[in-house]
């Protein structure tokens, strides 16, 4: 990439002010979308799901950990069951996203729990979690329909193919890598009212961009993102670059 044009401080300020007006337009548009998201209707989750964590089995209401809101990040797992024979580790792209998650106490103070969920054995999850140095709560959904019902694992024997609100015909045309036997990333949000759980929101693909904290910082720089999200390695793979 070529370096930005060199100008006088006065010219720079004028250009920056013009850009600020555009930034404010985007901010106002984002505020409106965020408000519309909060106004979405919700649907009750009546199926019983069982997850496995370090301390044993837990239900979907148990994932809330006593709080009123739950965010689940559907963390893709690379193993034979998801189309990666010979591997047993978390997805590098999902790892890039999780590296951006900060101190959970701020979410907890807002009555919100954040957990990772993967269709993988809990022993594999714990091993990879230790490798990455993360302290986030992370659960296995292996053996349950959770991933399939929220359209982040694909098996046409269990559910019709759907991802990012696109049907099989559309996916074959626009995203042929989404097929039976594979997984996709996503985020799902739930609200708890007494003993009832409601699904309020799910997002996939570019809908996850706002969660990529490294991108947010890089976009402030002249060089920008520099890499597509799938081109970022595991953070312990930077030994030769740092």
């Amino acid at each position: 990439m070529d370096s930005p044009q060199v100008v006088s401080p006065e010219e720079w300020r004028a250009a920056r002010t013009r850009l600020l007006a555009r930034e404010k337009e985007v901010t106002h548009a984002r505020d409106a979308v965020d408000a519309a998201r909060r106004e979405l209707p919700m649907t009750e989750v009546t199926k019983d799901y069982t997850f496995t964590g370090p301390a044993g089995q837990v239900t979907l209401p148990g994932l809330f950990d006593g709080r009123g809101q739950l965010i689940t990040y559907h963390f893709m797992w690379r193993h034979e069951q998801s189309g990666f024979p010979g591997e047993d580790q978390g997805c590098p792209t999902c790892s890039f996203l999780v590296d951006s998650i900060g101190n959970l106490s701020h979410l907890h103070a807002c009555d919100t729990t954040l957990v990772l969920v993967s269709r993988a054995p809990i022993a594999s999850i714990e091993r990879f979690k230790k490798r990455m140095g993360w302290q986030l709560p992370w659960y296995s959904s292996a053996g349950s329909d959770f991933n399939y019902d929220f359209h982040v694992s694909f098996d046409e024997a269990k559910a019709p193919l759907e991802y990012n609100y696109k049907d099989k015909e559309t996916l074959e045309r626009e995203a042929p890598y989404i097929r039976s036997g594979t997984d996709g990333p996503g985020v799902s949000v739930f609200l708890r009212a007494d003993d009832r759980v409601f699904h309020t929101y799910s997002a996939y693909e570019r809908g996850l961009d706002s969660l990529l904290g490294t991108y947010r910082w890089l976009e402030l720089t002249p060089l920008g993102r520099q890499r597509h999200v799938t081109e970022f390695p595991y953070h312990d793979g930077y030994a030769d670059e740092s």
Side-chain angles (χ1 to χ4, degrees):
M1 173 182 174
D2 295 334
S3 298
Q5 181 184 4
V6 178
V7 298
S8 70
E10 294 76 18
E11 290 174 300
W12 178 89
R13 184 179 180 86
R16 177 66 188 95
T17 303
R18 289 193 296 271
L19 177 60
L20 178 59
R22 296 177 61 189
E23 289 176 335
K24 288 183 175 181
E25 290 176 1
V26 172
T27 297
H28 294 156
R30 187 184 299 113
D31 288 345
V33 169
D34 290 343
R37 185 184 302 110
R38 292 191 295 271
E39 294 170 359
L40 275 174
M42 58 188 183
T43 182
E44 187 168 7
V45 180
T46 57
K47 183 181 286 190
D48 293 329
Y49 297 106
T50 300
F51 307 86
T52 305
Q57 292 192 330
V58 61
T59 63
L60 180 59
L63 294 185
F64 283 76
D65 197 23
R67 300 182 182 91
Q69 299 189 131
L70 171 69
I71 303 171
T72 61
Y73 179 70
H74 302 288
F75 193 112
M76 294 171 61
W77 198 264
R78 288 190 166 193
H79 52 13
E80 186 172 1
Q81 292 74 28
S82 61
F84 292 90
E87 290 194 47
D88 185 21
Q89 60 184 342
C91 163
T93 302
C94 289
S95 299
F96 174 64
L97 184 149
V98 171
D99 280 335
S100 300
I101 298 174
N103 192 309
L104 296 182
S105 64
H106 303 299
L107 287 174
H108 296 170
C110 295
D111 199 28
T112 302
T113 295
L114 170 63
V115 302
L116 312 180
V117 175
S118 295
R119 185 170 63 100
I122 189 62
S124 298
I125 289 173
E126 286 293 296
R127 184 189 68 246
F128 187 73
K129 178 180 174 181
K130 181 178 180 180
R131 169 188 163 188
M132 293 289 102
W134 296 329
Q135 301 300 315
L136 296 158
W138 196 345
Y139 295 88
S140 167
S141 61
S144 83
D145 292 334
F146 185 74
N147 278 45
Y148 301 103
D149 290 348
F150 289 92
H151 307 293
V152 289
S153 290
F154 314 110
D155 182 346
E156 292 182 89
K158 294 180 177 290
L161 193 63
E162 177 187 317
Y163 185 61
N164 200 21
Y165 309 100
K166 300 174 183 177
D167 60 17
K168 180 178 180 179
E169 181 180 355
T170 305
L171 289 169
E172 288 177 343
R173 184 174 63 254
E174 298 181 1
Y177 49 87
I178 300 295
R179 59 189 185 279
S180 281
T182 64
D183 286 354
V187 63
S188 293
V189 182
F190 303 90
L191 181 71
R192 185 170 61 89
D194 298 323
D195 294 329
R196 301 172 71 187
V197 173
F198 299 89
H199 174 221
T200 66
Y201 182 76
S202 285
Y204 314 91
E205 291 186 328
R206 292 295 303 277
L208 305 175
D209 267 15
S210 62
L211 305 179
L212 298 169
T214 302
Y215 266 5
R216 305 284 79 79
W217 290 105
L218 287 173
E219 285 169 345
L220 301 178
T221 71
L223 295 182
R225 296 183 177 188
Q226 301 180 44
R227 306 180 185 188
H228 188 269
V229 62
T230 59
E231 297 171 338
F232 283 88
Y234 300 108
H235 62 235
D236 57 3
Y238 283 118
D240 297 332
E241 297 185 33
S242 58

